[in-house]
Amino acid sequence: MKTLKIAIQKSGRLNEKSVELLKNCGLSFENYKSSLISTVSNFPLEILFLRDDDIPEYVQDGIADLGIVGENVISETEVDVNYLQKLGFGKCTLKLAVQNNSDIQNIQDLNGKAIATSYPVILKKFLDKNSITADIRTISGSVEISPGLGLSDAIFDIVSTGGTLKSNGLKPFADVLSSEAILIGRKGEESHPLIVELIQRVQSVLRAKETKYVVLNAEAKNLDQIVKLLPGVKSPTVVPLAEEGWLAVHTVISERDFWEKISLLKSAGAQGIVVMPIEKIIL
């Protein structure tokens, strides 16, 4: 039987969440912090721990079957891989930023300016699209200090919270690319049974994170109104209570709609609402 290989970040902002996702998929592995490769004991899978910049090419070239990496890295490396599943973590935005006292007010003001970045490919495409000619200065790290040192007039970098920019006297003024972690695969391999199964496991974990399991009590006379508010996976489960005329309703609610739904349910007569996390949802 084929053993799959999946490449994830060895260290950095996606490592912990990638490991957590794989473990939540029921995969058992150990010693990932002290090794570049870890074998899963209960699924034909090996996990490769790599630099994030290397992951897309490992997948493209068939060294790894799958990878978890940020969209920004895929765009920068310009590899030819399949986007299999957005993973909902590692969200960030690539932004242009300038010093707080800069006279650069809009994108066109970047003409003739120097911009420091670790993402020259993405930046060049953006500048070309907007007919801007600028001096792109590629820096491997600490991009945010370059304007203060006189190395550039602006920077182009990943921004998650904006705290690093603020602490270095910078302000963002243009969003270029939104990014999050993506499960990628080698072209032509997406129908392999093991890959299909692993994707299904990932999707079941992601669906569970986006929903809450809700149990509530309601009088029978209010049931129709309450059920209209509750889609469930297919439809709510309704169970009679020991007290005549009362029912227990079981369902799932989207995280996005949670508080709005709870308020509506209470208004419709729902009582004793219990909300619980869901581990997995398999459709």
Side-chain angles (χ1 to χ4, degrees), residues 65-217:
D65 303 284
L66 301 165
I68 296 177
V69 69
E71 290 176 89
N72 56 301
V73 178
I74 302 169
S75 297
E76 182 65 25
T77 54
E78 299 185 298
V79 294
D80 186 23
V81 294
N82 276 339
Y83 280 45
L84 300 177
Q85 179 66 52
K86 290 193 173 187
L87 300 176
F89 61 83
K91 292 184 178 182
C92 64
T93 305
L94 274 78
K95 297 175 181 278
L96 285 158
V98 296
Q99 291 181 300
N100 292 327
N101 60 356
S102 173
D103 58 358
I104 297 174
Q105 300 297 321
N106 57 61
I107 295 172
Q108 294 304 320
D109 290 340
L110 292 171
N111 268 304
K113 304 294 186 180
I115 308 172
T117 185
S118 299
Y119 298 93
V121 173
I122 298 173
L123 177 58
K124 180 68 162 57
K125 289 181 179 179
F126 176 78
L127 296 176
D128 289 347
K129 181 180 177 180
N130 288 277
S131 302
I132 296 169
T133 301
D135 177 14
I136 298 176
R137 298 182 177 178
T138 303
I139 298 176
S140 59
S142 300
V143 174
E144 62 276 357
I145 68 172
S146 62
L149 296 175
L151 298 176
S152 69
D153 303 293
I155 70 164
F156 175 62
D157 203 14
I158 284 180
V159 177
S160 296
T161 64
T164 302
L165 292 182
K166 188 174 182 180
S167 65
N168 283 278
L170 302 174
K171 60 181 180 182
F173 80 100
D175 295 353
V176 175
L177 177 73
S178 293
S179 174
E180 67 179 274
I182 297 282
L183 177 67
I184 60 173
R186 186 185 181 194
K187 285 288 182 72
E189 297 291 324
E190 58 274 5
S191 61
H192 190 284
L194 290 177
I195 292 178
V196 171
E197 180 178 345
L198 189 57
I199 292 173
Q200 288 174 343
R201 292 194 187 196
V202 169
Q203 290 174 340
S204 73
V205 172
L206 296 179
R207 278 192 293 266
K209 285 187 174 183
E210 294 172 354
T211 54
K212 300 290 186 182
Y213 189 83
V214 176
V215 181
L216 59 88
N217 296 330

Side-chain angles (χ1 to χ4, degrees), residues 47-68:
I47 304 170
L48 311 180
F49 297 91
L50 307 174
R51 291 176 60 252
D52 57 351
D53 292 348
D54 295 333
I55 292 174
E57 290 188 10
Y58 268 59
V59 174
Q60 175 185 260
D61 297 342
I63 300 171
D65 303 284
L66 301 165
I68 296 177

Side-chain angles (χ1 to χ4, degrees), residues 261-282:
K261 290 287 188 183
I262 292 296
S263 297
L264 292 172
L265 288 168
K266 290 178 68 176
S267 297
Q271 299 180 19
I273 302 173
V274 178
V275 181
M276 294 169 281
I278 300 173
E279 185 174 333
K280 297 174 182 67
I281 296 179
I282 301 171

Side-chain angles (χ1 to χ4, degrees), residues 238-255:
V238 180
V239 182
L241 293 179
E243 184 176 344
E244 187 174 350
W246 282 83
L247 306 164
V249 181
H250 298 239
T251 190
V252 297
I253 295 178
S254 167
E255 181 78 37

